[in-house]
């Protein structure tokens, strides 16, 4: 009958249409899957290259950990000549600025196992140690050419009581930097009526005692495809005694900063009556790939006080714009996406942690 033929044709058409639709959807999903996988590979590669570029540019920050002044390298430096440093001085009487040039060094002591050093120079005017400048690190050389100039704004009447210190260090990426030596210039002995350029012998640096605040170990893990940054606070040791009984009740605040502003905050549990707390607590933040260069992570160790205000023991920061050990840790994380990278950091006074805007 005609109605049966019409029904058969309609059902056949629906079956053919369904088969075509299913085939099309499956094909589209496969293409989308390949596309997303390709994008994930691109993100991974970009982040790896970014991490490697940071590692290549790692420089010690202005307020890096104080270098170790003992050990085989330092003993060898004391027995032999430490080298000499060429510098320049000029004073701008109109603007009241002292221009200090770090030109070059030669014959520096070799503190690395390979018979070389990675020297850089820290420059400051005593008695003010807070305002410091540092040259770039020069790799594998005992005769570096720096060619850098730094400016100190100091009234001329106060300049006679200052002492210019040019301290030479050997940079070490994985441990404390070793002090090669330093050269000092009492400004009262310098005639600034004309530019000065001279050589000075590098002398053994006097040991500087610094208050120990303790160390903290944490790991960083970044997954570019998910845009997820995970900070795992592992443990701390040798924390500063904050309570009357000689102990502390430490906990850790973890801040995510963007543009110097705190945008996210997490905190660990409080560990009672200990200077060596163990946490192993993880915190995650959403950080897209295009924002990973613009954020920093700051960890603050505080002593909990039930009656008064919680007091900060010390802080440490990591990020692309932090410098020093903080930049090294961040670069290692980016160079190894999806892998947790753990590292110890020495705590620094809260008022000395400065976060700069990311480039």
């Amino acid at each position: 009958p005609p109605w049966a033929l019409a029904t058969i044709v309609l059902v056949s058409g629906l079956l053919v249409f369904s088969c075509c639709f299913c085939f099309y959807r499956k094909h589209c999903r496969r293409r989308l899957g390949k596309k997303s996988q390709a994008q994930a590979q691109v993100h991974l590669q970009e982040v790896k290259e970014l991490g490697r570029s940071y590692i290549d540019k790692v420089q010690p920050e202005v307020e890096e950990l104080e270098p170790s002044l003992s050990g085989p390298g330092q003993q060898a430096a004391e027995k032999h000549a430490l080298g000499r440093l060429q510098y320049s001085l000029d004073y701008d009487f109109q603007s009241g600025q002292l221009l200090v040039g770090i030109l070059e060094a030669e014959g520096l002591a070799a503190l690395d196992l390979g018979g070389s050093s990675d020297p850089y120079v820290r420059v400051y005017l005593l008695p003010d140690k807070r305002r410091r400048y540092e040259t770039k690190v020069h790799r594998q050389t005992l005769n570096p050419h720096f060619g850098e100039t730094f400016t100190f704004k100091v009234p001329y009447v106060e300049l006679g009581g200052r002492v210019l210190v040019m301290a030479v260090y050997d940079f070490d990426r994985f441990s404390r930097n070793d002090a090669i030596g330093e050269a000092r210039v009492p400004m009262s002995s310098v005639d600034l009526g004309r530019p000065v350029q001279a050589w000075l012998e590098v002398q053994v640096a006097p040991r500087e005692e610094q208050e120990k605040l303790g160390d903290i170990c944490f790991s960083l893990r970044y997954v570019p495809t998910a845009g997820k940054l995970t900070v795992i606070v592992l443990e701390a040791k040798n924390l500063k005694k904050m309570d009357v009984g000689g102990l502390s009740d430490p906990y850790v605040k973890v801040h995510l900063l963007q543009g110097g502003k705190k945008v996210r905050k997490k905190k660990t549990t409080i560990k009672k009556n200990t200077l060596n707390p163990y946490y192993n607590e993880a915190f995650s933040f959403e950080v897209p790939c295009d924002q990973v260069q613009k954020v920093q992570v700051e960890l603050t160790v505080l002593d909990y006080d039930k009656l008064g205000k919680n007091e900060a023991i010390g802080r440490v920061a990591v990020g692309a714009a932090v410098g020093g050990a903080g930049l090294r840790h961040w670069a290692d994380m980016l160079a190894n996406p999806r892998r947790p990278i753990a590292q110890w950091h020495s705590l620094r006074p809260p008022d000395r942690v400065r976060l700069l805007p990311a480039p």
Side-chain angles (χ1 to χ4, degrees):
W3 62 267
L5 291 174
T7 304
I8 292 173
V9 171
L10 181 62
V11 171
S12 301
L14 287 173
L15 286 173
V16 172
F17 176 77
S18 299
C19 291
C20 292
F21 181 72
C22 291
F23 177 78
Y24 175 76
R25 285 195 62 183
K26 186 176 181 180
H27 184 65
C28 287
R29 283 183 180 177
R30 191 173 297 171
R31 289 182 62 185
L32 288 173
K34 289 182 178 178
K35 186 177 180 181
S36 61
Q37 186 177 5
Q39 288 179 345
Q41 293 296 332
V42 169
H43 287 322
L44 282 173
Q45 191 63 28
E46 287 179 351
V47 170
K48 284 183 180 179
E49 291 176 357
L50 180 63
R52 294 192 188 101
S53 69
Y54 283 144
I55 290 175
D56 293 338
K57 297 176 183 177
V58 167
Q59 301 288 342
E61 57 188 345
V62 171
E63 296 176 355
E64 182 67 275
L65 297 173
E66 291 300 327
S68 59
L69 296 175
S70 60
Q74 184 65 23
Q75 292 173 2
E78 291 176 359
K79 293 179 181 179
H80 304 286
L82 302 179
R84 59 181 192 152
L85 179 69
Q86 187 184 35
Y87 70 98
S88 66
L89 294 175
D90 194 9
Y91 190 79
D92 188 337
F93 288 89
Q94 293 184 348
S95 60
Q97 293 181 336
L98 176 67
L99 306 178
V100 180
I102 305 298
L103 305 179
E104 60 178 310
E106 64 178 27
L108 295 178
L111 301 190
D112 292 343
L113 295 177
S116 187
S117 292
D118 301 322
Y120 69 96
V121 181
R122 179 182 297 173
V123 186
Y124 54 94
L125 277 172
L126 291 176
D128 183 10
K129 290 186 177 181
R130 292 176 297 177
R131 188 176 182 185
R132 304 180 182 183
Y133 296 102
E134 291 184 352
T135 68
K136 294 181 179 179
V137 175
H138 290 254
R139 306 281 181 178
Q140 300 295 315
T141 179
L142 302 180
N143 303 286
H145 291 265
F146 297 104
E148 298 183 45
T149 302
F150 307 103
T151 302
F152 295 89
K153 191 171 182 61
V154 184
Y156 184 74
V157 293
E158 300 178 8
L159 201 55
R162 301 293 188 97
V163 176
L164 175 65
V165 179
M166 297 167 287
V168 186
Y169 300 129
D170 172 42
F171 173 70
D172 194 327
R173 177 174 292 173
F174 302 107
S175 64
R176 289 192 175 188
N177 302 328
D178 294 318
I180 296 177
E182 66 178 32
R184 297 195 173 202
V185 180
M187 297 308 298
S188 58
S189 64
V190 180
D191 180 11
L192 293 175
R194 56 183 179 179
V196 176
Q197 182 171 317
W199 287 87
L200 272 180
E201 294 293 327
V202 177
Q203 307 292 331
V204 176
R207 180 159 188 163
E208 297 182 10
E209 294 294 334
Q210 184 180 6
E211 183 183 26
K212 301 296 183 181
L213 302 177
D215 304 291
I216 185 170
C217 182
F218 59 93
S219 75
L220 299 174
R221 179 175 183 259
Y222 185 63
V223 182
T225 52
K228 186 177 179 182
L229 172 65
T230 302
V231 181
I232 303 178
V233 181
L234 297 171
E235 59 180 312
K237 65 180 181 180
N238 303 324
L239 296 179
K240 181 182 176 182
K241 301 172 183 178
M242 304 295 287
D243 296 342
V244 177
L247 294 173
S248 295
D249 302 323
Y251 69 98
V252 182
K253 275 187 180 180
V254 183
H255 287 99
L256 180 70
L257 295 94
Q258 187 170 7
K261 296 182 179 180
K262 297 176 180 178
V263 294
R264 295 285 186 276
K265 179 178 72 173
K266 311 276 187 178
K267 65 179 180 179
T268 67
T269 56
I270 300 169
K271 304 297 180 181
K272 296 285 187 178
N273 299 320
T274 179
L275 300 179
N276 302 283
Y278 180 78
Y279 299 101
N280 196 23
E281 299 180 32
F283 308 99
S284 295
F285 303 94
E286 292 184 3
V287 181
C289 280
D290 58 347
Q291 299 293 319
V292 74
Q293 300 183 69
K294 303 176 183 178
V295 300
Q296 299 94 25
V297 175
E298 181 185 87
L299 292 88
T300 307
V301 181
L302 299 101
D303 174 44
Y304 173 76
D305 195 329
K306 186 181 293 185
L307 302 177
K309 183 180 179 182
N310 300 335
E311 189 174 355
I313 298 175
R315 293 180 188 166
V316 65
V318 293
V322 173
L327 175 58
R328 291 194 294 274
H329 197 175
W330 193 260
D332 288 339
M333 174 197 72
L334 294 178
N336 299 275
R338 297 181 177 176
R339 285 180 52 194
I341 305 297
Q343 185 172 315
W344 281 96
H345 294 261
S346 292
L347 294 174
R348 298 165 57 198
D351 57 345
R352 291 182 62 185
V353 176
R354 296 181 298 170
L355 295 175
L356 305 177

